[in-house]
Amino acid sequence: MLFEKYVDVSSCSNYRIGGPADFFYIARTVEDIEAAVQEARGAKLSIFILAGGTNILFSEKGVRGLVLKIANDGIESLDGCRIKVGAGVLMKDLLGYIVARGLSGLEWAGGLPGTVGGAIRGNAGAFGGEMKDRLVEVRSLDIAAEKPVIKKRQKSECEFDYRMSVFRRLASGEIVLDAVFQMEERKPELIEKDIQDKIKYREERHPLEYPNIGSIFKNIPYETFPEESKAEVSHIVKTDPFPVVPTAYLISEAGLKGVSSGGAMISPKHPNFIVNYNHATSEDVKALIRLAKDRVKEKYHVELREEIEYA
Ligand SMILES: Cc1cc2nc3c(=O)[nH]c(=O)nc-3n(C[C@H](O)[C@H](O)[C@H](O)COP(=O)(O)OP(=O)(O)OC[C@H]3O[C@@H](n4cnc5c(N)ncnc54)[C@H](O)[C@@H]3O)c2cc1C
């Protein structure tokens, strides 16, 4: 069998929270991914896709079936500023590559952790940019089909939306394998400066000193905000990538900055982050998620929705 048994996935999570996976496998090539899916199917194991682990809250109970870690790296230069990037490439490595070659278009992603595949699935975004912006096409492995089959979709077929794509809608039905990006030429030093500015911004405002999984909740599109509460938040609306009310503000105004449960805490530095400051359990984090939802609903009559995934 390809797989390892009883691997503690907390070490693969940026949160350092989790438990044992029944089976675990790191796939370093597309062929590895196909072989693992084949084997899991033969053994009737469910498959959970893990990549950088920067957006998943695992339970201490662990994960039944196979945890398949996507680590196919490799970046290939195509014609005319196009690049083909493996899903397992770390965003920071992709940014290093574009700086070295003077390829512009992903500067907004400076400091965005995780992999290219994870970012495509969730259409990750920041500073007005989104993963979809430079995408041309995405290849994925459809594992819901009777016989796993590789699909190629043009950007227009990927159903990108705010932190959403066809790959996320299909739950674990498809594994993003690689993607082609259309970049444009720019001086490397200008690309590097923009990226460094974003990294600095994040270092100053995000609680990166503690294990975390980024923003817990999505920001709230202003147009969906209840009419009766709109006046209270209109001064704080920002455009990223369309007018949104920052959830960090709502949690802060609900009086929850610095509130803790066990070893987890709503970050006083950025209240949409819940940090693991002292051996937090998944239940500690979930208690704070419930608290934030309840208090924000009471005060603003809006439902907070998770950006993170549970496993
Ligand atoms: C400090 C910090 C800052 C962050 N800032 C931002 C931000 O500014 N904007 C933003 O959008 N997000 C942000 N995030 C969240 C996170 O980094 C992104 O969502 C990231 O794109 C997740 O990638 P990953 O490889 O870590 O995915 P993981 O966390 O490993 O997985 C996330 C989900 O994607 C699925 N998945 C992963 N890879 C694949 C694949 N190849 N095919 C199919 N499904 C897959 C997994 O099953 C899981 O459901 C931040 C996180 C942290 C810790």
Side-chain angles (χ1 to χ4, degrees), residues 290-304:
R290 283 193 297 271
L291 180 68
K293 284 186 167 184
D294 290 349
R295 291 282 179 82
V296 168
K297 182 144 195 208
E298 262 168 43
K299 191 167 165 65
Y300 294 101
H301 313 289
V302 285
E303 297 279 351
L304 295 183

PDB file of all heavy atoms in Angstrom, residues 290-304:
ATOM      1  N   ARG A 290     -18.810  30.298  17.483  1.00  0.00           N
ATOM      2  CA  ARG A 290     -20.240  30.420  17.837  1.00  0.00           C
ATOM      3  C   ARG A 290     -20.518  31.764  18.523  1.00  0.00           C
ATOM      4  O   ARG A 290     -21.495  32.443  18.217  1.00  0.00           O
ATOM      5  CB  ARG A 290     -20.662  29.261  18.759  1.00  0.00           C
ATOM      6  CG  ARG A 290     -20.860  27.946  18.036  1.00  0.00           C
ATOM      7  CD  ARG A 290     -21.573  26.930  18.922  1.00  0.00           C
ATOM      8  NE  ARG A 290     -20.780  26.587  20.103  1.00  0.00           N
ATOM      9  CZ  ARG A 290     -19.873  25.595  20.133  1.00  0.00           C
ATOM     10  NH1 ARG A 290     -19.662  24.852  19.064  1.00  0.00           N
ATOM     11  NH2 ARG A 290     -19.203  25.340  21.244  1.00  0.00           N
ATOM     12  N   LEU A 291     -19.610  32.129  19.436  1.00  0.00           N
ATOM     13  CA  LEU A 291     -19.789  33.385  20.180  1.00  0.00           C
ATOM     14  C   LEU A 291     -19.801  34.577  19.215  1.00  0.00           C
ATOM     15  O   LEU A 291     -20.672  35.453  19.308  1.00  0.00           O
ATOM     16  CB  LEU A 291     -18.640  33.537  21.195  1.00  0.00           C
ATOM     17  CG  LEU A 291     -18.676  34.789  22.056  1.00  0.00           C
ATOM     18  CD1 LEU A 291     -19.868  34.742  23.024  1.00  0.00           C
ATOM     19  CD2 LEU A 291     -17.370  34.941  22.851  1.00  0.00           C
ATOM     20  N   ALA A 292     -18.852  34.604  18.288  1.00  0.00           N
ATOM     21  CA  ALA A 292     -18.778  35.724  17.335  1.00  0.00           C
ATOM     22  C   ALA A 292     -20.051  35.777  16.490  1.00  0.00           C
ATOM     23  O   ALA A 292     -20.630  36.851  16.271  1.00  0.00           O
ATOM     24  CB  ALA A 292     -17.540  35.575  16.452  1.00  0.00           C
ATOM     25  N   LYS A 293     -20.511  34.615  16.038  1.00  0.00           N
ATOM     26  CA  LYS A 293     -21.731  34.583  15.222  1.00  0.00           C
ATOM     27  C   LYS A 293     -22.926  35.146  16.005  1.00  0.00           C
ATOM     28  O   LYS A 293     -23.689  35.951  15.495  1.00  0.00           O
ATOM     29  CB  LYS A 293     -22.044  33.146  14.802  1.00  0.00           C
ATOM     30  CG  LYS A 293     -21.169  32.627  13.695  1.00  0.00           C
ATOM     31  CD  LYS A 293     -21.667  31.249  13.270  1.00  0.00           C
ATOM     32  CE  LYS A 293     -21.035  30.846  11.970  1.00  0.00           C
ATOM     33  NZ  LYS A 293     -21.523  29.583  11.455  1.00  0.00           N
ATOM     34  N   ASP A 294     -23.065  34.670  17.262  1.00  0.00           N
ATOM     35  CA  ASP A 294     -24.216  35.097  18.075  1.00  0.00           C
ATOM     36  C   ASP A 294     -24.186  36.594  18.344  1.00  0.00           C
ATOM     37  O   ASP A 294     -25.177  37.293  18.169  1.00  0.00           O
ATOM     38  CB  ASP A 294     -24.227  34.346  19.418  1.00  0.00           C
ATOM     39  CG  ASP A 294     -24.575  32.881  19.239  1.00  0.00           C
ATOM     40  OD1 ASP A 294     -25.007  32.507  18.120  1.00  0.00           O
ATOM     41  OD2 ASP A 294     -24.403  32.105  20.202  1.00  0.00           O
ATOM     42  N   ARG A 295     -23.017  37.078  18.763  1.00  0.00           N
ATOM     43  CA  ARG A 295     -22.947  38.497  19.162  1.00  0.00           C
ATOM     44  C   ARG A 295     -23.126  39.433  17.973  1.00  0.00           C
ATOM     45  O   ARG A 295     -23.761  40.468  18.081  1.00  0.00           O
ATOM     46  CB  ARG A 295     -21.600  38.785  19.833  1.00  0.00           C
ATOM     47  CG  ARG A 295     -21.432  38.128  21.185  1.00  0.00           C
ATOM     48  CD  ARG A 295     -22.204  38.917  22.264  1.00  0.00           C
ATOM     49  NE  ARG A 295     -22.039  38.251  23.549  1.00  0.00           N
ATOM     50  CZ  ARG A 295     -20.995  38.407  24.332  1.00  0.00           C
ATOM     51  NH1 ARG A 295     -20.006  39.203  23.983  1.00  0.00           N
ATOM     52  NH2 ARG A 295     -20.925  37.775  25.484  1.00  0.00           N
ATOM     53  N   VAL A 296     -22.552  39.055  16.831  1.00  0.00           N
ATOM     54  CA  VAL A 296     -22.666  39.916  15.645  1.00  0.00           C
ATOM     55  C   VAL A 296     -24.109  39.885  15.132  1.00  0.00           C
ATOM     56  O   VAL A 296     -24.657  40.899  14.712  1.00  0.00           O
ATOM     57  CB  VAL A 296     -21.642  39.496  14.562  1.00  0.00           C
ATOM     58  CG1 VAL A 296     -21.940  40.172  13.231  1.00  0.00           C
ATOM     59  CG2 VAL A 296     -20.225  39.838  15.030  1.00  0.00           C
ATOM     60  N   LYS A 297     -24.733  38.739  15.230  1.00  0.00           N
ATOM     61  CA  LYS A 297     -26.138  38.651  14.801  1.00  0.00           C
ATOM     62  C   LYS A 297     -27.024  39.535  15.692  1.00  0.00           C
ATOM     63  O   LYS A 297     -27.893  40.263  15.205  1.00  0.00           O
ATOM     64  CB  LYS A 297     -26.608  37.209  14.849  1.00  0.00           C
ATOM     65  CG  LYS A 297     -28.026  37.062  14.372  1.00  0.00           C
ATOM     66  CD  LYS A 297     -28.235  35.797  13.618  1.00  0.00           C
ATOM     67  CE  LYS A 297     -29.556  35.907  12.883  1.00  0.00           C
ATOM     68  NZ  LYS A 297     -30.179  34.673  12.650  1.00  0.00           N
ATOM     69  N   GLU A 298     -26.782  39.456  17.007  1.00  0.00           N
ATOM     70  CA  GLU A 298     -27.565  40.276  17.949  1.00  0.00           C
ATOM     71  C   GLU A 298     -27.432  41.764  17.616  1.00  0.00           C
ATOM     72  O   GLU A 298     -28.408  42.500  17.610  1.00  0.00           O
ATOM     73  CB  GLU A 298     -26.990  40.118  19.362  1.00  0.00           C
ATOM     74  CG  GLU A 298     -27.701  39.143  20.245  1.00  0.00           C
ATOM     75  CD  GLU A 298     -26.848  38.865  21.489  1.00  0.00           C
ATOM     76  OE1 GLU A 298     -26.284  39.815  22.078  1.00  0.00           O
ATOM     77  OE2 GLU A 298     -26.721  37.679  21.849  1.00  0.00           O
ATOM     78  N   LYS A 299     -26.202  42.175  17.332  1.00  0.00           N
ATOM     79  CA  LYS A 299     -25.942  43.613  17.173  1.00  0.00           C
ATOM     80  C   LYS A 299     -26.285  44.134  15.771  1.00  0.00           C
ATOM     81  O   LYS A 299     -26.819  45.229  15.639  1.00  0.00           O
ATOM     82  CB  LYS A 299     -24.457  43.872  17.489  1.00  0.00           C
ATOM     83  CG  LYS A 299     -24.117  45.349  17.625  1.00  0.00           C
ATOM     84  CD  LYS A 299     -22.731  45.519  18.238  1.00  0.00           C
ATOM     85  CE  LYS A 299     -22.199  46.930  18.071  1.00  0.00           C
ATOM     86  NZ  LYS A 299     -22.917  47.979  18.752  1.00  0.00           N
ATOM     87  N   TYR A 300     -25.978  43.337  14.731  1.00  0.00           N
ATOM     88  CA  TYR A 300     -26.142  43.863  13.363  1.00  0.00           C
ATOM     89  C   TYR A 300     -27.151  43.086  12.508  1.00  0.00           C
ATOM     90  O   TYR A 300     -27.360  43.432  11.345  1.00  0.00           O
ATOM     91  CB  TYR A 300     -24.786  43.846  12.635  1.00  0.00           C
ATOM     92  CG  TYR A 300     -23.766  44.782  13.230  1.00  0.00           C
ATOM     93  CD1 TYR A 300     -22.761  44.312  14.066  1.00  0.00           C
ATOM     94  CD2 TYR A 300     -23.812  46.146  12.947  1.00  0.00           C
ATOM     95  CE1 TYR A 300     -21.825  45.176  14.611  1.00  0.00           C
ATOM     96  CE2 TYR A 300     -22.879  47.023  13.485  1.00  0.00           C
ATOM     97  CZ  TYR A 300     -21.888  46.525  14.317  1.00  0.00           C
ATOM     98  OH  TYR A 300     -20.965  47.382  14.853  1.00  0.00           O
ATOM     99  N   HIS A 301     -27.704  42.010  13.062  1.00  0.00           N
ATOM    100  CA  HIS A 301     -28.696  41.194  12.330  1.00  0.00           C
ATOM    101  C   HIS A 301     -28.114  40.580  11.061  1.00  0.00           C
ATOM    102  O   HIS A 301     -28.809  40.456  10.046  1.00  0.00           O
ATOM    103  CB  HIS A 301     -29.956  42.018  12.008  1.00  0.00           C
ATOM    104  CG  HIS A 301     -30.441  42.788  13.187  1.00  0.00           C
ATOM    105  ND1 HIS A 301     -31.028  42.187  14.265  1.00  0.00           N
ATOM    106  CD2 HIS A 301     -30.359  44.113  13.470  1.00  0.00           C
ATOM    107  CE1 HIS A 301     -31.298  43.094  15.172  1.00  0.00           C
ATOM    108  NE2 HIS A 301     -30.893  44.275  14.725  1.00  0.00           N
ATOM    109  N   VAL A 302     -26.835  40.251  11.077  1.00  0.00           N
ATOM    110  CA  VAL A 302     -26.228  39.554   9.931  1.00  0.00           C
ATOM    111  C   VAL A 302     -25.640  38.221  10.398  1.00  0.00           C
ATOM    112  O   VAL A 302     -25.208  38.083  11.548  1.00  0.00           O
ATOM    113  CB  VAL A 302     -25.086  40.350   9.247  1.00  0.00           C
ATOM    114  CG1 VAL A 302     -25.615  41.480   8.417  1.00  0.00           C
ATOM    115  CG2 VAL A 302     -24.045  40.803  10.232  1.00  0.00           C
ATOM    116  N   GLU A 303     -25.646  37.277   9.467  1.00  0.00           N
ATOM    117  CA  GLU A 303     -25.060  35.958   9.728  1.00  0.00           C
ATOM    118  C   GLU A 303     -23.609  35.984   9.271  1.00  0.00           C
ATOM    119  O   GLU A 303     -23.357  36.276   8.099  1.00  0.00           O
ATOM    120  CB  GLU A 303     -25.733  34.880   8.871  1.00  0.00           C
ATOM    121  CG  GLU A 303     -27.186  34.621   9.082  1.00  0.00           C
ATOM    122  CD  GLU A 303     -27.460  33.730  10.272  1.00  0.00           C
ATOM    123  OE1 GLU A 303     -26.488  33.177  10.840  1.00  0.00           O
ATOM    124  OE2 GLU A 303     -28.634  33.614  10.636  1.00  0.00           O
ATOM    125  N   LEU A 304     -22.683  35.661  10.142  1.00  0.00           N
ATOM    126  CA  LEU A 304     -21.300  35.497   9.692  1.00  0.00           C
ATOM    127  C   LEU A 304     -21.166  34.123   9.046  1.00  0.00           C
ATOM    128  O   LEU A 304     -21.719  33.136   9.544  1.00  0.00           O
ATOM    129  CB  LEU A 304     -20.332  35.607  10.871  1.00  0.00           C
ATOM    130  CG  LEU A 304     -20.263  36.966  11.558  1.00  0.00           C
ATOM    131  CD1 LEU A 304     -19.212  36.932  12.660  1.00  0.00           C
ATOM    132  CD2 LEU A 304     -19.956  38.075  10.564  1.00  0.00           C
TER     133      LEU A 304
END
